[in-house]
Amino acid sequence: MLRATLKSLLARKLRLLLSGLAVVLGVMFVSGAFVLTDTLGRSFDAVFADAYAEVDVNVAAKPKVELSETEGEQVAAPVPASLVERVKAVPGAADVQGVVAADGARLIGANGKVVTSFGPPQLGENWLGESDLVKLREGREPRADDEIVVNAALAKAANVKVGDRVGVLTLAPKKEFTLVGVFGYSGGRDSVGGANEVAFTTPVAQQLMLGKPDVFSNISARAADGTTPEALRDEVSRAVGAGYDVKTGEQLADDASAGLKEGLSFFNKILLGFAAVALLVGTFLILNTFSIIVAQRTRELALMRAIGASGRQVIGSVVLEAVAVGLIASVLGLAAGIGVGALLAYLFGKLAGGLSLAGLGVPPAAVIGAFAVGLVITVVAALLPALRAARIPPIAAMQDVATPDRPLTKVTVGGAVVTTIGAVLLFLGLSGNAGDNTLATILGGVLFAFIGVALLTPVISRPVVSLLGAIFSWSVPGKLGRLNSGRNPRRTAITAAALMVGIALVTGVTVILDSAKGSISALAEDTIKAELVISGSASGPRPPSFDPAVLDKTAAIPGVQLVDGEYGDMATVGGKRTWVAASSNVAALERIFGAKATAGDISRLAPDQMLLSSDTAKDRNLSVGSTVPVQLSRGDARTYTVSGIYESSQLTNPVVLPPQAAADFAIPQPIQGFVQLAPGTSVGAVQPQVERLLADSPEVSVADRAAFIKQQTSQLDTPLRMIQILLALAIVIAVLGIINTLALSVLERTRELGLLRAIGLRRAQTMRMITVEAVVISIFGALLGVVVGTGLGAAVVRALKDEGITDLVLPWGQMVTFLVLAAIIGVVAAVLPAIRAARINVLGAIAHD
């Protein structure tokens, strides 16, 4: 039986290769995700170990507001300069230095634009001199207040050289400096971890990066000979007290690396999610392939039963083939995954500004995941065909027929049950009744919904395919292709379902994001009563900002009626982290944003007063007259009195503080500006004047309201494109499924095709017949995907109504594009099977058994 199975497997190499390719692509994603995160994780370990190699002990103040990775930029509290002397006095401490190092120093390049960074920090530092790690490559150290040095990576990115006058944006507006030196790192490196670094003299760094003199962001110390870092840490900790975090350099490296690895784990989950989609589509392909093979081997399997093979042996024969395919696919997928992981790591390193990558590694999780996924998916997909093969009676060996299709009753009932389960899970997840398992419930609902629809597909395939095929029935090949596509509902349904999954996911995501864009646009159009908006697009964790003086100068332009500058920060309000805003002109809350007071006065604010949205007031059980402690990113905590409450909306902030509070924000500069013009004033007359005022703020620009809204909503286009690209893999697998189904179908119908050729069907007509069959199946799958995706997308939009997504926007243009693309996919998928069908030897085909 084993020899027979192996011979049968080798006789169908091409067919099984096509089905195995689907598993290869899915396994590639799984193993590639683990290889990528392992490589980048070890790379960051090395980077931070190197960065803190010269630090034995570090002293830092605990941040005023603790933020998570997703809540924004963590602002370190300043350390007083007097603490440096206290640390120096600790026994065993040597080479104690006050360090200024804070994110937010943006250099303006030779092209007049700010050098951006997508991930690595843009550090503003005090120059501490050369060391074993840091070496000047050109020029000298900064000595005057208007002199800086930069690392080689930043000098290259900005295209600047020693002697140039350059602009730098910090906590303060643009300031001009002379570049007097360029430094690099040991090993010929231009940066550490891709960071851009600007080093000032210590007093200038303190003022520009920390906002006040005689403070540092941290203190570093080396342990004297005979003192371990751990012992020095304990001594320093006792000396400085409980208000400071004292850690060894090794602890700092581990903490920094762990934070980045947490972000990588999220990216890893995304890749594994797309792998799951690819494997789900691949399951349909494998199931179809083995179903067709079992149908074609009816007589062969019946003969085995007739000569004594048991049902268990027949099942073992089919499962053994699946194991062989799974093993080969897992090996190939693992190899491809290693290559993809290495490529993605390389691209990530380039994007991160030249991150030095650790050697490529293959973690055990990648190997285990590859073989576990590859084998399990293949065997599970082949199990139903194997059970069907075991039920073939020995008498079938005497019949020249394939296994007939069984009634669809059980499949229909099963599909209805599974679809109902999916609908219930989606309802629970989207309605917020799933507790802490919301995401898992929604994903489970989507999975059950897809499987349920796939099970129901055979019921509707015959009438729908017949209707679609009528479009091509104007010729004999078209009629034959239509009949062929509907002759086996199960096979057609499974083939179409593979394409359905990919297109349904793309359609659903498009519906959700387009609805979000439409809702935001409509809300902003109705709410914002400003003709001009000053803003920029963030290229990192720090939002662009501009000089507050621009607001006063803009207000002086003839025809300008009202100007508002908006500041923003994460703060601790009444013990809870909350986004807070400060407005340079509180009257804008009513006049520009249309906010309506529900209690108190919202048209003015004293320095010790605050305004709340109605939702925030209700959640915190606050009212006019309540006092609330507020801790901002900088400065000491202050208590504010609630003086007014306004009606909540998607465009109003939960908390509004007086403009004086912005001095203690992480970014003490406005991040947006709104300009309302007097009636009859032309936007075209005012906009150029505001643009000239922003000449020293290259991160931002001024646009009319329509352009601003388009700029804000266009940020959703990037994730949509990424999702579409990744889901294209599922569509590629679906194309393989159509090719595989048609190729096996052509082989199954060899005698039939020979008879058709014998009675006059020409080669070109044979190819057209196969092409029509492929196109009909493809369009059927795309139509299912569009309908299912639209339904799922609409359900999510409905569930997000309270989050501000109120308008359902259907992407009609993309839906039509998907259907046209499906027709093209059908034509492409039919090429090889059609050529094979056209080349069939007529006499040999008629004699085919």
Side-chain angles (χ1 to χ4, degrees), residues 166-211:
V166 295
V168 181
L169 304 175
T170 56
L171 293 180
K174 174 185 173 182
K175 292 188 177 296
E176 294 282 343
F177 295 88
T178 299
L179 179 62
V180 297
V182 175
F183 64 92
Y185 292 89
S186 59
R189 293 169 297 168
D190 293 339
S191 71
V192 172
N196 293 331
E197 297 174 79
V198 180
F200 310 89
T201 60
T202 294
V204 173
Q206 290 170 331
Q207 192 64 51
L208 295 184
M209 301 310 303
L210 302 179

Side-chain angles (χ1 to χ4, degrees), residues 119-431:
Q122 297 176 291
L123 295 174
E125 308 166 332
N126 62 328
W127 177 253
L128 296 174
E130 295 183 282
S131 65
D132 292 340
L133 179 65
V134 179
K135 296 290 183 183
L136 278 170
R137 293 183 182 177
E138 301 177 50
R140 57 173 176 81
E141 73 281 357
R143 297 167 185 161
D145 288 350
D146 67 340
E147 295 178 345
I148 60 170
V149 295
V150 301
N151 66 358
L154 181 55
K156 291 177 182 178
N159 193 25
V160 294
K161 59 184 183 300
V162 172
D164 287 350
R165 290 289 289 179
V166 295
V168 181
L169 304 175
T170 56
L171 293 180
K174 174 185 173 182
K175 292 188 177 296
E176 294 282 343
F177 295 88
T178 299
L179 179 62
V180 297
V182 175
F183 64 92
Y185 292 89
S186 59
R189 293 169 297 168
D190 293 339
S191 71
V192 172
N196 293 331
E197 297 174 79
V198 180
F200 310 89
T201 60
T202 294
V204 173
Q206 290 170 331
Q207 192 64 51
L208 295 184
M209 301 310 303
L210 302 179
K212 57 177 67 175
D214 298 324
V215 292
F216 296 100
S217 55
N218 59 285
I219 298 171
S220 69
R222 297 298 298 269
D225 293 340
T227 303
T228 66
E230 290 75 17
L232 179 59
R233 175 197 60 196
D234 296 340
E235 289 294 331
V236 170
S237 183
R238 282 190 287 270
V240 300
Y244 297 92
D245 286 326
V246 183
K247 296 181 179 180
T248 64
E250 185 177 348
Q251 286 177 308
L252 286 176
D254 291 342
D255 290 347
S257 183
L260 283 170
K261 286 180 180 178
E262 184 179 346
L264 287 177
S265 68
F266 176 74
F267 184 63
N268 191 42
K269 291 174 183 176
I270 292 176
L271 289 178
L272 292 176
F274 285 106
V277 173
L279 291 167
L280 175 62
V281 176
T283 300
F284 288 115
L285 195 162
I286 298 165
L287 175 61
N288 217 17
T289 300
F290 277 92
S291 296
I292 297 172
I293 290 173
V294 167
Q296 291 174 355
R297 294 175 59 198
T298 298
R299 292 190 67 191
E300 175 189 331
L301 294 172
L303 282 170
M304 288 185 178
R305 294 296 310 279
I307 62 175
S310 66
R312 182 177 297 179
Q313 286 179 309
V314 172
I315 292 175
S317 173
V318 177
V319 170
L320 182 59
E321 290 189 25
V323 170
V325 172
L327 279 174
I328 295 171
S330 297
V331 171
L332 295 176
L334 176 60
I338 294 171
V340 168
L343 176 62
L344 290 176
Y346 171 79
L347 294 175
F348 186 95
K350 288 294 183 185
L351 189 64
L355 173 67
S356 298
L357 295 176
L360 183 67
V362 183
V367 179
I368 295 170
F371 284 95
V373 168
L375 283 173
V376 169
I377 291 296
T378 311
V379 172
V380 169
L383 199 55
L384 284 177
L387 294 174
R388 191 179 305 163
R391 289 195 293 264
I392 295 175
I395 193 67
M398 304 177 191
Q399 300 173 347
D400 192 19
V401 292
T403 304
D405 272 349
R406 290 172 288 120
L408 298 173
T409 307
K410 292 182 180 180
V411 175
T412 304
V413 173
V417 171
V418 174
T419 303
T420 302
I421 294 173
V424 170
L425 289 174
L426 282 171
F427 173 77
L428 292 174
L430 297 174
S431 62

Side-chain angles (χ1 to χ4, degrees), residues 419-704:
T419 303
T420 302
I421 294 173
V424 170
L425 289 174
L426 282 171
F427 173 77
L428 292 174
L430 297 174
S431 62
N433 294 320
D436 296 333
N437 300 312
T438 298
L439 180 59
T441 303
I442 292 175
L443 293 176
V446 171
L447 179 61
F448 273 94
F450 277 134
I451 295 174
V453 171
L455 290 173
L456 291 172
T457 302
V459 181
I460 61 174
S461 66
R462 185 166 286 167
V464 175
V465 165
S466 179
L467 183 63
L468 291 173
I471 302 172
F472 305 97
S473 295
W474 47 269
S475 65
V476 171
K479 291 178 181 178
L480 292 172
R482 183 194 70 179
L483 294 172
N484 287 336
S485 59
R487 69 199 292 180
N488 192 321
R490 278 190 175 84
R491 185 179 303 175
T492 298
I494 294 174
T495 306
L499 186 59
M500 175 200 74
V501 172
I503 291 183
L505 288 173
V506 173
T507 303
V509 171
T510 304
V511 168
I512 296 168
L513 293 182
D514 280 3
S515 297
K517 290 168 62 177
S519 300
I520 294 171
S521 298
L523 181 63
E525 194 68 41
D526 292 340
T527 303
I528 298 176
K529 306 303 179 185
E531 286 75 17
L532 293 172
V533 181
I534 301 170
S535 67
S537 298
S539 60
R542 181 188 178 92
S545 58
F546 58 95
D547 188 349
V550 170
L551 299 172
D552 295 331
K553 294 176 182 178
T554 300
I557 296 175
V560 172
Q561 183 171 275
L562 180 65
V563 177
D564 173 49
E566 290 287 319
Y567 304 75
D569 194 16
M570 286 296 294
T572 303
V573 180
K576 296 181 180 179
R577 285 198 301 269
T578 307
W579 176 261
V580 300
S583 175
S584 66
N585 192 334
V586 180
L589 195 61
E590 292 178 291
R591 295 171 59 183
I592 290 181
F593 299 106
K596 297 179 181 178
T598 61
D601 184 4
I602 65 170
S603 63
R604 61 181 62 86
L605 267 182
D608 61 347
Q609 293 178 334
M610 68 190 304
L611 303 177
L612 301 177
S613 69
S614 55
D615 287 347
T616 304
K618 182 180 178 181
D619 292 342
R620 307 287 181 93
N621 195 26
L622 299 172
S623 59
V624 172
S626 298
T627 56
V628 185
V630 176
Q631 176 62 67
L632 299 171
S633 293
R634 306 179 195 276
D636 297 326
R638 291 192 57 181
T639 299
Y640 292 88
T641 301
V642 179
S643 63
I645 298 173
Y646 50 88
E647 187 176 342
S648 297
S649 81
Q650 297 300 318
L651 292 183
T652 54
N653 292 292
V655 178
V656 176
L657 298 177
Q660 295 87 343
D664 287 334
F665 280 18
I667 302 173
Q669 296 177 9
I671 56 179
Q672 285 184 333
F674 297 88
V675 183
Q676 191 178 73
L677 305 181
T681 303
S682 168
V683 170
V686 176
Q687 185 171 350
Q689 298 182 65
V690 180
E691 286 176 348
R692 287 193 288 272
L693 295 176
L694 293 170
D696 287 341
S697 301
E699 290 181 302
V700 299
S701 60
V702 60
D704 60 42

